[in-house]
Amino acid sequence: DQQVKQNSPSLSVQEGRISILNCDYTNSMFDYFLWYKKYPAEGPTFLISISSIKDKNEDGRFTVFLNKSAKHLSLHIVPSQPGDSAVYFCAASDSTGTASKLTFGTGTRLQVTL
Amino acid sequence: AAGVIQSPRHLIKEKRETATLKCYPIPRHDTVYWYQQGPGQDPQFLISFYEKMQSDKGSIPDRFSAQQFSDYHSELNMSSLELGDSALYFCASSLEFSEQFFGPGTRLTVL
Protein backbone atom coordinates (compact mmCIF):
# COMPACT_ATOMS: atom_id res chain seq x y z
CA ASP A 1 0.00 0.00 0.00
CA GLN A 2 1.87 3.05 -1.31
CA GLN A 3 0.76 5.91 0.90
CA VAL A 4 2.92 8.47 -0.88
CA LYS A 5 2.92 8.41 -4.65
CA GLN A 6 4.96 10.16 -7.28
CA ASN A 7 3.23 9.23 -10.50
CA SER A 8 5.90 10.57 -12.83
CA PRO A 9 8.97 8.34 -12.71
CA SER A 10 10.93 10.79 -14.83
CA LEU A 11 10.87 14.39 -16.01
CA SER A 12 13.02 16.23 -18.52
CA VAL A 13 13.26 20.03 -18.40
CA GLN A 14 15.37 22.53 -20.28
CA GLU A 15 17.89 24.60 -18.34
CA GLY A 16 16.37 27.87 -17.15
CA ARG A 17 12.81 26.59 -17.26
CA ILE A 18 10.60 25.59 -14.35
CA SER A 19 10.62 22.01 -13.04
CA ILE A 20 7.44 20.86 -11.34
CA LEU A 21 7.50 17.61 -9.42
CA ASN A 22 4.27 16.24 -8.04
CA CYS A 23 3.39 14.07 -5.09
CA ASP A 24 0.11 12.65 -3.79
CA TYR A 25 -0.60 11.04 -0.45
CA THR A 26 -3.46 9.02 0.97
CA ASN A 27 -2.89 9.08 4.73
CA SER A 28 -4.79 12.02 6.24
CA MET A 29 -2.67 11.76 9.39
CA PHE A 30 0.38 13.06 7.53
CA ASP A 31 1.06 16.61 8.64
CA TYR A 32 4.66 17.24 7.66
CA PHE A 33 6.09 16.89 4.19
CA LEU A 34 9.62 17.00 2.87
CA TRP A 35 11.46 16.84 -0.42
CA TYR A 36 14.79 15.11 -0.75
CA LYS A 37 17.20 15.02 -3.63
CA LYS A 38 19.30 11.93 -4.22
CA TYR A 39 22.33 11.27 -6.36
CA PRO A 40 23.43 7.70 -7.10
CA ALA A 41 25.45 6.08 -4.29
CA GLU A 42 24.67 8.95 -1.91
CA GLY A 43 22.15 9.45 0.84
CA PRO A 44 19.06 11.64 0.30
CA THR A 45 19.78 15.35 0.76
CA PHE A 46 17.12 17.44 2.46
CA LEU A 47 15.79 20.23 0.25
CA ILE A 48 12.71 21.82 1.73
CA SER A 49 9.79 20.99 3.98
CA ILE A 50 6.30 22.19 4.73
CA SER A 51 3.98 21.78 7.65
CA SER A 52 0.28 21.15 7.10
CA ILE A 53 -0.56 24.52 8.64
CA LYS A 54 0.96 26.21 5.61
CA ASP A 55 0.23 25.98 1.92
CA LYS A 56 3.50 27.32 0.59
CA ASN A 57 7.14 27.42 1.61
CA GLU A 58 9.92 28.99 -0.37
CA ASP A 59 13.69 28.67 -0.15
CA GLY A 60 15.69 30.21 -2.95
CA ARG A 61 14.93 28.45 -6.21
CA PHE A 62 12.77 25.85 -4.45
CA THR A 63 9.10 26.29 -3.55
CA VAL A 64 6.82 23.64 -2.14
CA PHE A 65 3.05 23.95 -2.42
CA LEU A 66 0.64 21.93 -0.33
CA ASN A 67 -3.03 21.35 -1.15
CA LYS A 68 -4.42 19.50 1.87
CA SER A 69 -7.91 19.03 0.48
CA ALA A 70 -6.48 17.32 -2.59
CA LYS A 71 -3.75 15.57 -0.57
CA HIS A 72 -1.26 16.86 -3.09
CA LEU A 73 2.02 18.66 -2.94
CA SER A 74 4.42 19.88 -5.55
CA LEU A 75 7.99 21.09 -5.73
CA HIS A 76 8.82 23.92 -8.10
CA ILE A 77 12.42 24.57 -9.11
CA VAL A 78 12.99 27.88 -10.87
CA PRO A 79 15.20 28.29 -12.78
CA SER A 80 16.27 24.70 -13.33
CA GLN A 81 20.00 24.06 -13.54
CA PRO A 82 21.93 21.04 -14.86
CA GLY A 83 23.15 20.34 -11.31
CA ASP A 84 19.52 19.76 -10.32
CA SER A 85 19.53 16.51 -12.29
CA ALA A 86 18.89 13.81 -9.68
CA VAL A 87 16.13 11.65 -8.24
CA TYR A 88 13.68 13.61 -6.10
CA PHE A 89 11.78 11.91 -3.31
CA CYS A 90 8.70 13.27 -1.63
CA ALA A 91 8.34 12.14 2.00
CA ALA A 92 5.64 12.51 4.62
CA SER A 93 5.33 12.00 8.33
CA ASP A 94 2.77 12.03 11.09
CA SER A 95 4.40 14.17 13.75
CA THR A 96 1.97 13.37 16.54
CA GLY A 97 4.25 10.71 17.96
CA THR A 98 7.91 10.83 18.88
CA ALA A 99 10.61 10.32 16.30
CA SER A 100 8.35 10.52 13.29
CA LYS A 101 9.31 8.05 10.60
CA LEU A 102 9.25 9.15 6.99
CA THR A 103 7.16 7.47 4.35
CA PHE A 104 8.75 8.00 0.97
CA GLY A 105 7.31 8.23 -2.51
CA THR A 106 8.80 6.20 -5.33
CA GLY A 107 10.86 9.08 -6.66
CA THR A 108 11.00 11.17 -9.84
CA ARG A 109 14.16 11.30 -11.89
CA LEU A 110 14.70 14.88 -13.08
CA GLN A 111 16.94 15.51 -16.05
CA VAL A 112 17.81 19.14 -16.76
CA THR A 113 19.08 19.50 -20.29
CA LEU A 114 21.22 22.26 -21.78
CA ALA B 1 29.08 21.24 8.89
CA ALA B 2 29.24 17.76 10.36
CA GLY B 3 27.03 15.20 8.66
CA VAL B 4 25.75 11.75 9.49
CA ILE B 5 28.51 9.17 9.30
CA GLN B 6 27.90 5.58 8.39
CA SER B 7 30.34 2.72 8.39
CA PRO B 8 31.23 0.68 6.56
CA ARG B 9 30.27 2.19 3.21
CA HIS B 10 30.34 -1.20 1.51
CA LEU B 11 29.95 -4.66 2.98
CA ILE B 12 29.95 -8.06 1.33
CA LYS B 13 28.70 -11.05 3.29
CA GLU B 14 27.75 -14.66 2.63
CA LYS B 15 24.29 -16.07 3.26
CA ARG B 16 23.63 -16.88 6.92
CA GLU B 17 26.42 -14.59 8.09
CA THR B 18 26.01 -11.63 10.44
CA ALA B 19 26.54 -7.94 9.69
CA THR B 20 26.76 -4.84 11.87
CA LEU B 21 26.17 -1.39 10.45
CA LYS B 22 27.11 1.71 12.40
CA CYS B 23 25.69 5.20 12.37
CA TYR B 24 27.06 8.35 13.97
CA PRO B 25 24.42 11.10 14.02
CA ILE B 26 25.00 14.80 13.61
CA PRO B 27 26.25 16.23 16.94
CA ARG B 28 23.41 17.16 19.31
CA HIS B 29 20.85 15.20 17.28
CA ASP B 30 18.91 12.93 19.61
CA THR B 31 16.98 10.81 17.13
CA VAL B 32 18.26 8.16 14.77
CA TYR B 33 16.37 6.37 12.02
CA TRP B 34 17.27 3.37 9.87
CA TYR B 35 15.94 2.90 6.33
CA GLN B 36 16.43 0.14 3.76
CA GLN B 37 16.39 0.88 0.04
CA GLY B 38 16.23 -2.08 -2.30
CA PRO B 39 17.18 -1.79 -5.98
CA GLY B 40 14.76 0.50 -7.80
CA GLN B 41 12.69 1.05 -4.67
CA ASP B 42 12.02 3.93 -2.33
CA PRO B 43 13.59 3.92 1.14
CA GLN B 44 11.59 1.87 3.63
CA PHE B 45 11.60 2.74 7.33
CA LEU B 46 13.03 0.05 9.60
CA ILE B 47 13.37 1.43 13.12
CA SER B 48 14.04 4.61 15.07
CA PHE B 49 15.43 5.65 18.42
CA TYR B 50 14.78 8.79 20.43
CA GLU B 51 17.02 9.53 23.40
CA LYS B 52 18.38 5.97 23.31
CA MET B 53 14.94 4.36 23.47
CA GLN B 54 13.28 2.60 20.56
CA SER B 55 10.49 4.90 19.44
CA ASP B 56 9.04 3.35 16.31
CA LYS B 57 9.33 0.15 14.36
CA GLY B 58 8.63 -0.44 10.70
CA SER B 59 9.11 -3.41 8.44
CA ILE B 60 12.18 -4.71 10.20
CA PRO B 61 12.69 -8.50 10.14
CA ASP B 62 13.05 -10.32 13.45
CA ARG B 63 16.58 -11.27 12.34
CA PHE B 64 17.53 -7.60 12.63
CA SER B 65 18.04 -5.69 15.84
CA ALA B 66 19.29 -2.22 16.60
CA GLN B 67 20.16 0.01 19.49
CA GLN B 68 21.25 3.53 20.26
CA PHE B 69 24.13 3.99 22.65
CA SER B 70 24.87 6.59 25.32
CA ASP B 71 26.87 8.67 22.82
CA TYR B 72 23.82 8.56 20.49
CA HIS B 73 25.48 6.44 17.85
CA SER B 74 23.42 3.52 16.64
CA GLU B 75 24.14 0.03 15.36
CA LEU B 76 21.98 -2.17 13.18
CA ASN B 77 22.72 -5.85 13.67
CA MET B 78 21.62 -8.26 10.97
CA SER B 79 21.83 -12.02 11.45
CA SER B 80 21.17 -15.03 9.25
CA LEU B 81 21.60 -12.84 6.20
CA GLU B 82 19.54 -13.66 3.13
CA LEU B 83 20.05 -12.72 -0.50
CA GLY B 84 17.07 -10.38 -0.23
CA ASP B 85 18.83 -8.33 2.44
CA SER B 86 21.11 -6.90 -0.25
CA ALA B 87 20.26 -3.22 -0.27
CA LEU B 88 21.38 0.26 0.64
CA TYR B 89 20.93 0.96 4.33
CA PHE B 90 20.56 4.60 5.28
CA CYS B 91 20.78 6.12 8.68
CA ALA B 92 19.26 9.52 9.34
CA SER B 93 19.34 11.77 12.36
CA SER B 94 17.26 14.66 13.57
CA LEU B 95 16.76 16.90 16.54
CA GLU B 96 13.33 15.91 17.87
CA PHE B 97 10.80 16.56 15.12
CA SER B 98 13.03 18.53 12.81
CA GLU B 99 14.13 17.49 9.34
CA GLN B 100 15.94 14.19 9.02
CA PHE B 101 19.43 14.34 7.60
CA PHE B 102 20.68 11.24 5.92
CA GLY B 103 24.06 9.58 5.87
CA PRO B 104 25.72 8.32 2.70
CA GLY B 105 24.44 4.80 3.25
CA THR B 106 25.98 1.35 3.57
CA ARG B 107 25.70 -0.88 0.54
CA LEU B 108 25.25 -4.46 1.74
CA THR B 109 25.72 -7.28 -0.74
CA VAL B 110 24.81 -10.80 0.34
CA LEU B 111 26.28 -13.55 -1.84
Side-chain angles (χ1 to χ4, degrees), chain B residues 4-96:
Chain B
V4 177
I5 298 171
Q6 289 187 249
S7 68
R9 293 293 310 276
H10 302 272
L11 190 57
I12 299 175
K13 290 285 185 178
E14 301 273 342
K15 277 171 51 178
R16 291 180 289 278
E17 283 192 321
T18 297
T20 298
L21 279 55
K22 297 185 179 182
C23 170
Y24 298 87
I26 291 171
R28 290 184 295 281
H29 279 192
D30 51 17
T31 309
V32 168
Y33 311 76
W34 286 96
Y35 294 85
Q36 177 192 57
Q37 185 179 23
Q41 298 180 2
D42 51 290
Q44 295 289 321
F45 171 75
L46 291 177
I47 195 167
S48 62
F49 293 87
Y50 171 68
E51 282 292 344
K52 293 155 279 184
M53 301 278 289
Q54 182 184 307
S55 57
D56 203 354
K57 204 170 179 181
S59 50
I60 183 169
D62 292 340
R63 301 176 288 108
F64 293 7
S65 65
Q67 57 182 320
Q68 187 179 30
F69 294 86
S70 57
D71 64 352
Y72 292 96
H73 95 272
S74 177
E75 294 184 3
L76 177 65
N77 298 293
M78 310 159 72
S79 62
S80 302
L81 286 170
E82 302 173 356
L83 295 178
D85 297 328
S86 296
L88 264 172
Y89 290 83
F90 291 108
C91 171
S93 75
S94 72
L95 181 60
E96 294 184 349

Side-chain angles (χ1 to χ4, degrees), chain A residues 29-58:
Chain A
M29 295 298 293
F30 288 147
D31 58 0
Y32 189 59
F33 305 89
L34 309 90
W35 284 94
Y36 285 86
K37 171 182 178 181
K38 188 178 182 303
Y39 294 115
E42 293 184 13
T45 301
F46 169 74
L47 281 176
I48 192 168
S49 63
I50 188 166
S51 160
S52 60
I53 62 173
K54 301 173 80 172
D55 54 17
K56 177 183 175 182
N57 190 25
E58 195 170 351

Side-chain angles (χ1 to χ4, degrees), chain A residues 6 21 32-39 42-49 62 64 73 75 77 84 86-93 100-105 107-110, chain B residues 33 35 43 91-94 97-103:
Chain A
Q6 294 174 254
L21 296 94
Y32 189 59
F33 305 89
L34 309 90
W35 284 94
Y36 285 86
K37 171 182 178 181
K38 188 178 182 303
Y39 294 115
E42 293 184 13
T45 301
F46 169 74
L47 281 176
I48 192 168
S49 63
F62 302 94
V64 56
L73 63 154
L75 174 68
I77 306 174
D84 295 329
V87 176
Y88 288 77
F89 286 98
C90 166
S93 73
S100 308
K101 65 183 182 186
L102 293 178
T103 300
F104 283 86
T108 297
R109 182 177 300 278
L110 173 66
Chain B
Y33 311 76
Y35 294 85
C91 171
S93 75
S94 72
F97 301 130
S98 68
E99 297 80 17
Q100 293 179 28
F101 292 87
F102 283 77

